[in-house]
Amino acid sequence: MTSPVVVAIDGPSGSGKSSVSKAVAARLGLAYLDTGAMYRAATVWSMETADLDDAASVAAAVRAMPLVMGLDPAAPGVELDGRDVAVTIRTTQVTTAVSKVASNLDVRAELKRLQREIIDQESSAQAVFSGGRGIVAEGRDITTVVAPDADVRVLLTASEEARLRRRSLEVHGAADATAVDATRDQVLRRDQDDAKVTQFHVAADGVATVDSSDLDFEQTVDAVLAVVAQAETAGSRA
């Protein structure tokens, strides 16, 4: 790549967007931003410093949040006030509470600002990780609200069955009927909650859809890389 590139990847829970996005960033030598982790970090901070039932209190806490996002796709750490919270943000307690924080429109506005700041930074000479080569940013709102001007925008989706199976393997280490049922509410409820404030089931105009229902991990990564290559080719012809 001869110029900075921004790749935005959205999709429902369990679609594989985090693992695929990290792999794509690593292959292309780009920074990686997990915006979902930012909402989870905001939830941890709000649980510690605010009243989760008070929207204004939560918004004020997030605006003051001392958050540092690691941008290395091989080790994308998350720090709050100097503490590594990469494990904490994935706990069941945080997963249960994150939608309450993520549905707060003032919180979304603040995190959008921070996300846009990081994306712009990694596409400039002031880049922290990529050397100005660019970034892969994934999560809710990325393709339509945070980075609608991204060079490449992808909606990564999969059937409900495939998404539940993948998340079950991730959380429980198994994909039998019992494990899938234990995961079902978490995955589907999170999507239902997030759908109230963002659209991620249908690709917006200009957003390429990659359906990974029948693809393995490497095939999915290759499919996204093909979209990036196609966009670069189209850009060079313009």
Side-chain angles (χ1 to χ4, degrees):
M1 293 176 292
T2 57
S3 60
V5 62
V6 175
V7 180
I9 300 179
D10 202 344
S13 298
S15 61
K17 60 183 179 292
S18 293
S19 53
V20 169
S21 295
K22 283 186 281 190
V24 169
R27 298 268 189 95
L28 298 177
L30 304 180
Y32 163 73
L33 178 62
D34 180 353
T35 64
M38 295 177 73
Y39 281 99
R40 286 175 172 272
T43 301
V44 172
W45 187 252
S46 297
M47 291 168 71
E48 294 176 347
T49 65
D51 177 358
L52 284 184
D53 293 321
D54 183 338
S57 172
V58 170
V62 172
R63 282 192 289 268
M65 176 175 61
L67 174 67
V68 176
M69 296 297 297
L71 303 177
D72 183 349
V78 184
E79 290 188 1
L80 273 176
D81 200 20
R83 294 177 290 134
D84 181 351
V85 294
V87 174
T88 305
I89 64 173
R90 304 296 174 185
T91 61
T92 301
Q93 184 180 16
V94 173
T95 297
T96 300
V98 68
S99 288
K100 182 174 290 187
V101 175
S103 61
N104 184 313
L105 296 182
D106 289 332
V107 168
R108 298 191 75 82
E110 173 62 12
L111 292 187
K112 174 191 171 183
R113 183 189 68 78
L114 293 175
Q115 291 156 11
R116 187 71 241 184
E117 190 175 272
I118 293 170
I119 291 170
D120 290 344
Q121 167 193 284
E122 289 302 311
S123 302
S124 74
Q126 286 71 49
V128 171
F129 176 80
S130 71
R133 290 186 296 275
I135 189 168
V136 176
E138 59 97 351
R140 301 287 195 251
D141 278 351
I142 286 295
T143 61
T144 55
V145 177
V146 179
D149 56 345
D151 303 287
V152 183
R153 295 184 295 154
V154 176
L155 178 70
L156 182 60
T157 189
S159 67
E160 181 178 301
E161 178 185 3
R163 293 190 293 113
L164 288 171
R165 183 176 66 251
R166 290 168 185 167
R167 186 51 59 87
S168 180
L169 282 169
E170 177 187 332
V171 175
H172 302 290
D176 55 36
T178 300
V180 168
D181 283 343
T183 310
R184 185 180 304 276
D185 178 65
Q186 180 188 110
V187 171
L188 300 186
R189 179 175 51 79
R190 174 73 193 280
D191 280 351
Q192 289 167 357
D193 289 344
D194 286 354
K196 296 174 184 176
V197 290
T198 182
Q199 175 58 260
F200 52 87
H201 287 295
V202 179
D205 289 345
V207 178
T209 297
V210 173
D211 189 331
S212 66
S213 300
D214 299 317
L215 303 178
D216 63 22
F217 176 72
E218 288 300 328
Q219 289 172 328
T220 305
V221 172
D222 288 342
V224 174
L225 287 170
V227 175
V228 176
Q230 184 177 33
E232 289 181 331
T233 299
S236 66
R237 290 174 178 170

